[in-house]
């Protein structure tokens, strides 16, 4: 089936082989080479299926991770934006499941940084940015690129994605926290909301200080209050919302009242 003339059949077959290996590692000597070889297929959909499949195998059969991760370098350099985006998205899943070591990340980081900063495809860039988030062992190199996107990227969608990625780096790099705080005054509402959500992962939270609330624009202040109220009503955050959010809301609403009644 992986030799079929129809690329859709080949892609489906690769996915099926990956599912089999992920479920039963003993099949890998026969099937893993077929999944790996699909990276060379002339059709981008089949190549993308190969990287999806390799990620599925590494997620379920962790002993294959050292063997599989270096193969993604080819995907990050593929001529097809679809394949580049798929490879980066698959790496995001792998990195989220288990933060990569410096050794694992070293061969992949240059291509991820280049994709995040300047890939011609916004789709590929967004996935590269998201994979750099959990790849926090190289925080200094990653944060510089992600912050530059937050501060200089014209595309509001990419700025929002970059802010989401920065939440992983708040402890290692104060620069990340400062970029998140500044983005709360972004002219785009989606970006401001993403900044508030990322800021919630920082402890101690800088918004507990009135002086920080005073730095917010009226739009930024309103967005922060609205977003925190939504979080407070979310039953999934449980006890965390009862302790973390009320002090932040109190500070922000005090600042809002001060602006209404100077």
């Amino acid at each position: 089936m992986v030799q079929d003339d129809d690329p859709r059949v080949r892609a489906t077959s690769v996915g099926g082989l990956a599912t089999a290996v992920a479920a039963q590692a003993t099949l890998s000597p026969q099937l893993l080479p077929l999944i790996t070889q699909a990276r060379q297929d002339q059709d981008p959909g089949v190549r993308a299926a190969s990287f999806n499949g390799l990620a599925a195998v590494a997620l379920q059969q962790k002993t294959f991770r050292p063997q599989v991760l270096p193969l993604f370098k080819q995907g990050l350099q593929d001529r097809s934006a679809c394949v580049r985006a798929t490879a980066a998205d698959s790496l995001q899943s792998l990195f989220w499941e288990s933060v990569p070591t410096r050794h694992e990340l070293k061969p992949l980081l240059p291509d991820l940084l280049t994709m995040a900063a300047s890939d011609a495809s916004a789709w590929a860039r967004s996935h590269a940015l998201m994979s750099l988030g959990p790849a926090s062992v190289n925080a200094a190199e990653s944060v510089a690129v992600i912050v530059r996107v937050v501060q200089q990227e014209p595309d509001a969608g990419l700025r929002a994605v970059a802010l989401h990625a920065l939440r992983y780096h708040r402890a290692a790099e104060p620069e990340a926290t400062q970029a998140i705080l500044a983005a709360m005054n972004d002219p785009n509402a989606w970006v401001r909301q993403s900044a508030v959500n990322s800021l919630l992962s920082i402890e101690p939270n800088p918004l507990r200080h009135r002086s920080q609330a005073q730095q917010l624009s009226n739009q930024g202040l309103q967005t922060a209050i609205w977003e925190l109220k939504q979080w407070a009503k979310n039953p999934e955050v449980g006890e965390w919302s009862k302790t973390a959010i009320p002090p932040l809301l109190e500070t922000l609403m005090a600042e809002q009242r001060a602006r209404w009644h100077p």
Side-chain angles (χ1 to χ4, degrees):
M1 299 293 280
V2 292
Q3 304 297 326
D4 197 278
D5 290 339
D6 189 336
R8 295 170 297 181
V9 175
R10 297 200 301 275
T12 301
S13 299
V14 169
L17 294 176
T19 299
V21 176
Q24 190 171 344
T26 54
L27 296 174
S28 64
Q30 295 80 32
L31 303 186
L32 192 58
L34 297 175
I35 302 170
T36 302
Q37 290 166 14
R39 296 176 302 138
Q40 314 297 337
D41 196 278
Q42 63 182 356
D43 185 83
V46 180
R47 299 198 300 275
S50 174
F51 290 108
N52 271 331
L54 290 170
V57 169
L59 282 170
Q60 296 299 319
Q61 304 290 344
K62 296 182 176 48
T63 56
F64 289 112
R65 184 177 168 111
Q67 176 183 349
V68 163
L69 275 179
L71 303 178
F72 280 85
K73 185 176 181 65
Q74 178 180 335
L76 298 176
Q77 297 177 345
D78 197 276
R79 62 185 180 276
S80 166
C82 171
V83 178
R84 296 195 303 275
T86 300
D89 183 49
S90 297
L91 286 174
Q92 178 195 342
S93 299
L94 289 168
F95 294 168
W96 187 86
E97 191 270 341
S98 177
V99 175
T101 65
R102 292 184 184 277
H103 176 74
E104 289 176 330
L105 187 59
K106 185 176 180 180
L108 303 172
L109 188 62
D111 292 310
L112 283 173
L113 293 173
T114 299
M115 279 182 65
S118 58
D119 197 280
S121 165
W123 181 27
R125 288 184 70 191
S126 67
H127 285 300
L129 285 164
M130 289 302 296
S131 66
L132 287 174
S136 53
V137 290
N138 284 68
E141 293 177 81
S142 299
V143 165
V145 170
I146 301 171
V147 166
R148 194 155 55 244
V149 174
V150 172
Q151 295 175 338
Q152 301 177 14
E153 172 58 44
D155 186 326
L158 284 173
R159 295 200 303 277
V161 170
L163 284 162
H164 181 80
L166 278 183
R167 72 173 63 193
Y168 293 93
H169 296 284
R170 74 272 185 188
E173 294 293 328
E175 182 186 2
T177 298
Q178 293 305 313
I180 293 170
L181 286 167
M184 292 180 68
N185 291 331
D186 193 279
N188 183 274
W190 183 19
V191 176
R192 296 196 302 274
Q193 290 171 9
S194 184
V196 175
N197 290 331
S198 293
L199 203 62
L200 286 175
S201 64
I202 299 174
E203 285 294 340
N205 197 294
L207 286 183
R208 298 187 70 160
H209 302 290
R210 181 71 178 274
S211 59
Q212 188 60 60
Q214 291 171 342
Q215 302 301 313
L216 298 177
S217 65
N218 288 335
Q219 277 188 326
L221 184 61
Q222 291 169 5
T223 299
I225 291 172
W226 184 88
E227 196 70 20
L228 288 175
K229 286 182 176 179
Q230 299 309 303
W231 272 101
K233 292 187 286 188
N234 185 347
E236 295 184 5
V237 296
E239 290 300 317
W240 176 83
S241 65
K242 298 176 183 177
T243 57
I245 292 179
L248 303 181
L249 270 175
E250 182 179 347
T251 300
L252 293 171
M253 294 180 74
E255 173 60 23
Q256 187 180 62
R257 288 192 298 270
R259 296 185 187 188
W260 287 349
H261 307 289

